[in-house]
Amino acid sequence: MKPAPFVYHAPKTLEQAVAVLAEVAPEDGRVLAGGQSLVPTMAFRLARPAHLVDINQVAGLDRLAVENDALAIGACVRHAAFHRPVAAGPLGDLLAFVVRYIAHYPIRTRGTFCGSLAHADPASEWCLVAATLGGEIVARSARGTRRIAAADFFQGLMATALEDDELLEAARLPVPTADTRWGFYEFSRRAGDYALAMALATFRLEQGVMVAPRMGLGGVEVSPRRIPEAEAVLTGKPPEIGIFRRAAEAAADAVDPLEDIQASAEYRRDLVRAVARRALERAAA
Ligand SMILES: Cc1cc2nc3c(=O)[nH]c(=O)nc-3n(C[C@H](O)[C@H](O)[C@H](O)COP(=O)(O)OP(=O)(O)OC[C@H]3O[C@@H](n4cnc5c(N)ncnc54)[C@H](O)[C@@H]3O)c2cc1C
C-alpha cells in the first residue's frame, strides 16, 4: 500500500519548524525524523497525518555534545552516531553497547535517538536508557521551551507528555561518574527484533558495597521504568550473586507485564528474573 495523501513541509530553521507545527498540529500534523517507524505505519495506513513536518534540513538538530554534565542529543542524531563512544567514560561505552540491539544497520543509519523517545515503544532501548539514567527531554514549540524528566515523559503505551505542537528538540543524558559500573541484557527472539524484556543496571562501589544503584526494565510494561523495589535490595549490599537473585526476584514481583502475541505476562515476568540478574552480573564483572 501507499500512504494516504499528505502535505509535505521542509523547514530550514527551528523557528520555522515550530511555527509550521503550530499551524498544522490541529489537522494531525506530524514530525518526520528518520521515518523508520512513521513511514511504515503510513504505508499500512495505520497513520494518516494530513501534514508531515520533515525536520531533517533544520540547522543544528544534529548536535551531539557533552555540555553542563549532560550529553545533549539533538533531534536529528541517528542511532548510528553511537556505534562508537560519543563521550568519555561509562556513558559512551554503554550507548555503544546498547545501540547494536536496535533493529539492523540500515535502520540505524536513518532512525534517530529522539524519534525513538517520541515514538515511545515499550521495547525501545533508548527509552530504557533515558528512563534508567534519569534523562531529560527538551520540548520546543512556538509557545517556548520546557524540560521534562524522562520518568514523567513516558505516559503509557506509545504515549508521551509531548503536546501536538511540540517538537522534541533534544534529549539530555546525565554523564555518570567515571567509576559507575553498568550492565545491559536483552532477550529477543532474533537479532534485531524488539526486546521481549531487557534490563539496564548501574551502580558504584564504595568500600565493597553498591551505592546509588539503578535498575531499569524495558519491553515488559507499557513504558520502561526504574524498579525501586529492586534498587532497595541492592543498596548498601556487596555485588554478589545471591543479592542479584533477590533483586531480580523483587523486580519480577514488582512489574505488571504486558501480554501480547509475542509472550504471556507470566513468561515476561520470568524473563525479568533472568535479564535483571544478568544485567547486574555484567555490571559487576
Ligand atoms: C524492522 C525494524 C526494526 C526495529 N527494531 C527496533 C528495535 O529493536 N529497537 C528500537 O528501539 N527501535 C526499533 N525500530 C524503530 C527505529 O528505531 C526507529 O528509528 C525509531 O523508533 C523512530 O525513530 P525515527 O527517527 O525513525 O522516527 P520517525 O519514524 O520519523 O517518527 C516516529 C514517531 O515519532 C515522532 N517524532 C519523531 N521525531 C520527533 C521529534 N523530534 N519531535 C516530535 N515528534 C517526533 C513522529 O512524528 C512519529 O510519530 C525498528 C524499526 C524497524 C523498521
Side-chain angles (χ1 to χ4, degrees), residues 21 29-40 52 55-56 61 75-79 101-104 107-108 110-121 123-127 162-163 166-170 186 192-195 198:
L21 204 50
R30 299 277 281 277
V31 171
L32 174 70
Q36 298 303 297
S37 295
L38 182 56
V39 171
L52 278 193
I55 57 171
N56 285 278
L61 289 185
C76 287
V77 173
R78 316 280 167 193
H79 304 313
Y101 289 85
I102 301 175
H104 307 280
I107 292 164
R108 296 201 293 266
R110 289 299 301 166
T112 63
F113 185 103
C114 291
S116 289
L117 301 190
H119 191 58
D121 191 291
S124 153
E125 286 81 359
W126 290 148
C127 294
L162 269 190
E163 301 287 346
E166 280 181 318
L167 178 72
L168 200 169
E169 180 184 347
E186 169 169 328
D193 279 8
Y194 277 104
M198 59 185 160

Side-chain angles (χ1 to χ4, degrees), residues 166-182:
E166 280 181 318
L167 178 72
L168 200 169
E169 180 184 347
R172 294 173 61 80
L173 298 178
V175 176
T177 54
D179 60 348
T180 301
R181 291 161 171 268
W182 59 271

